[in-house]
Amino acid sequence: VTELMSGQALFAAESGVDWSARDFAAGGGGVTVNAVVVANRAWVSTTVATLTINGRAVHTITSTGIAGASIANPKAQRQIEVQFMP
């Protein structure tokens, strides 16, 4: 069960990175909190830090996926951090 939930948490974190990058491309801010990835199983939250280098914005996306029976009591958590330049 732990490996299954670990995999779901990783999938949620990966989904958060994908969502955040698409949200930036559409003009959004790339941030979400406790978004459902798998109903009653996995959720994702993303944060974004932006740094301007030579006039170009570089966004550091941190995506945290959690999995378990409830969002209040997760059994697994995985975090991915990527840099994104639209």
Side-chain angles (χ1 to χ4, degrees):
V1 174
T2 303
E3 287 185 35
L4 174 63
M5 289 183 191
S6 178
Q8 288 176 336
L10 180 60
F11 173 76
E14 291 171 341
S15 297
V17 170
D18 290 344
W19 177 86
S20 187
R22 281 195 308 268
D23 192 49
F24 270 117
V31 176
T32 189
V33 177
N34 296 334
V36 174
V37 178
V38 179
N40 300 315
R41 295 276 186 213
W43 300 264
V44 67
S45 295
T46 59
T47 60
V48 177
T50 302
L51 176 65
T52 302
I53 301 173
N54 295 328
R56 303 237 11 219
V58 177
H59 308 285
T60 300
I61 301 168
T62 303
S63 180
T64 305
I66 61 171
S70 73
I71 199 165
N73 188 22
K75 301 295 182 191
Q77 176 177 311
R78 297 292 175 262
Q79 190 172 73
I80 298 174
E81 186 173 278
V82 299
Q83 291 183 324
F84 175 71
M85 185 183 298

